[in-house]
Amino acid sequence: MTQPASPAPRLPAAIWALGFVSLLMDISSEMIHSLLPVFMVTVLGTSVWAVGLIEGAAEATALIVKVFSGVLSDYWGKRKPLAVLGYGLGAASKPLFALATTTGMVLAARLIDRVGKGIRGAPRDALVADLAPPGMRGAAFGLRQSLDTVGAFIGPLLAMGLMLLWANDFRAIFWVAMVPGFMAVALLLLGVQEPAPAGPLSASAAPAVRPNPISRDNLRRLGSAYWRVVFIGALFTLARFSEAFLVLRALQGGMPVAYTPLVLIGMNVVYALGAYPFGKLSDSVSHTALLAWGLVVLIAADAVLATSSHWTWVAAGIALWGLHMAMTQGLLATMVAKVAPPDLRGTAFGFFNLMSGLAMLLASTVAGVLWDQLGAPATFVTGAVFSLAALALLWHWRGVNR
């Protein structure tokens, strides 16, 4: 007698809840970030070089802080409290943008917001890896990234609509952005239950004093395969500077100020539609090959953005940028989760993001300097050169990762 087929495994409800937490916070953040470069340049009189420095410093802060929160989550054996703290700081920073009257105030608000992102990032990613069935981690990271990215295009869409409705009143929109931010914190508190710690730190065998996650022995346990992923991730980040430059490129190409949020809307629609399918695909194909194809798409995006003179062509480059994000961002998180020991996942994500954060600071600062000194094409040509370097390194390391 034929046995009935067992039901296909499903992602836990907590994974979905984390995805919707990300969605709500991204609506809040992107309502502001989609307008912030234009606000700084047109209202506050900030130079493009300063925009690049602020964006690089802000994103680098978020990625660098992740190393400390990741290590702490492993040492403490808990992920959720740090995630709540990080999302709470992100929500609390939103009123500061509405109150900002100088570039320095914007920088302070961005740093507080990104510290919150840094605190929540590694514990949240480790929590996703802890909650997901081992054979579905790619799908889990892809789903969370996809929902996160849905928020990343709903936010700019709302911003654009309100800009048209309220006659380009930046500050009123920044006030509205508070609402989904605090909704995200409430959903995390009520909708996600943390599982018991894995590995040597499990509840059944927890020592009285937990070992230091960044001791020499534990760092050695991370292994050479992990450090290869860290290095390629940092080189990849050098090639992919802040999306603020995409907004400024469209503005330079003649896009009206009120419609500049369309840049991030378009990019994130492509990103959201592709993140889950590519995440699921990564569970069954070579990670190295998929990452290489993502770099090829990024090179194509840089080529279009470097040579385009009208915003309609810039839109094609932005769509390619979103496609490369869909192919690679969840994939890099999956690669880290694959090679890191379960009890060191927070630390592993933390160090990965530390190196990526330093690379982001360098990349966005250099991009801004090149833009001011040599023009926008030089910025995107340099990004393509770094992409080619990452592609060459992947070719050298082919076969290291599945």
Side-chain angles (χ1 to χ4, degrees):
M1 185 175 178
T2 304
Q3 294 292 327
S6 58
R10 296 181 178 181
L11 291 172
I15 297 286
W16 285 89
L18 284 169
F20 280 104
V21 168
S22 293
L23 182 151
L24 288 166
M25 185 56 73
D26 250 40
I27 290 174
S28 176
S29 295
E30 295 304 327
M31 285 182 70
I32 294 174
H33 299 164
S34 63
L35 297 173
L36 197 59
V38 180
F39 174 71
M40 286 191 286
V41 171
T42 63
V43 176
L44 301 181
T46 309
S47 69
V48 175
W49 175 83
V51 172
L53 183 61
I54 289 170
E55 289 297 311
E59 295 303 325
T61 298
L63 296 172
I64 291 168
V65 170
K66 285 182 181 181
V67 71
F68 303 106
S69 62
V71 169
L72 182 58
S73 75
D74 286 338
Y75 182 76
W76 193 7
K78 294 180 181 297
R79 321 282 194 197
K80 181 177 172 179
L82 289 168
V84 170
L85 174 61
Y87 278 106
L89 275 176
S93 73
K94 299 302 184 279
L96 300 179
F97 292 100
L99 296 171
T101 57
T102 66
T103 299
M105 292 177 69
V106 171
L107 174 61
R110 282 288 277 150
L111 290 178
I112 293 170
D113 177 50
R114 298 296 90 174
V115 165
K117 182 176 181 179
I119 290 173
R120 68 185 181 252
R124 181 206 59 213
D125 290 343
L127 186 56
V128 171
D130 292 345
L131 288 164
M136 299 184 71
R137 287 200 187 108
F141 280 109
L143 176 67
R144 193 208 66 79
Q145 195 69 64
S146 181
L147 289 172
D148 178 278
T149 310
V150 168
F153 73 75
I154 291 177
L157 189 62
L158 287 172
M160 185 181 69
L162 292 174
M163 283 285 280
L164 293 170
L165 182 64
W166 292 343
N168 295 348
D169 189 341
F170 289 93
R171 298 183 191 280
I173 296 165
F174 294 168
W175 283 114
V176 172
M178 288 192 308
V179 177
F182 284 103
M183 288 174 64
V185 178
L187 178 58
L188 178 59
L189 282 168
L190 300 175
V192 178
Q193 183 174 356
E194 184 169 5
L201 300 185
S202 62
S204 60
V209 178
R210 296 181 185 275
N212 180 3
I214 55 173
S215 67
R216 181 179 301 176
D217 288 343
N218 276 331
L219 292 180
R220 191 179 296 118
R221 285 175 58 211
L222 289 174
S224 60
Y226 165 76
W227 293 109
R228 287 190 181 95
V229 174
V230 169
F231 190 85
I232 198 66
L235 187 56
F236 196 104
T237 304
L238 284 175
R240 186 186 58 79
F241 37 78
S242 169
E243 284 86 20
F245 292 97
L246 303 182
V247 177
L248 293 175
R249 187 65 168 132
L251 187 67
Q252 186 184 65
M255 178 175 281
V257 170
Y259 290 97
T260 52
L262 281 173
V263 171
L264 296 185
I265 292 169
M267 186 197 78
N268 286 308
V269 166
V270 176
Y271 189 179
L273 291 174
Y276 179 69
F278 279 114
K280 193 170 183 179
L281 180 64
S282 73
D283 288 326
S284 58
V285 302
S286 165
H287 292 165
T288 303
L290 187 55
L291 189 60
W293 280 110
L295 283 164
V296 170
V297 173
L298 179 56
I299 292 167
D302 281 324
V304 172
L305 291 165
T307 57
S308 299
S309 58
H310 191 271
W311 69 265
T312 53
W313 282 102
V314 171
I318 290 167
L320 287 170
W321 194 283
L323 180 60
H324 109 266
M325 295 281 285
M327 296 174 72
T328 60
Q329 296 310 290
L331 173 61
L332 285 166
T334 303
M335 292 170 73
V336 172
K338 177 188 174 185
V339 296
D343 59 304
L344 292 177
R345 282 184 184 135
T347 302
F349 279 108
F351 275 107
F352 175 83
N353 288 299
L354 170 64
M355 297 305 296
S356 296
L358 295 174
M360 177 62 76
L361 175 59
L362 177 61
S364 292
T365 303
V366 169
V369 171
L370 288 171
W371 188 298
D372 276 342
Q373 299 299 317
L374 301 175
T379 296
F380 293 102
V381 167
T382 302
V385 170
F386 279 116
S387 298
L388 285 169
L391 196 58
L393 185 62
L394 275 179
W395 177 258
H396 177 69
W397 284 345
R398 66 191 185 280
V400 170
N401 294 295
R402 182 179 66 81

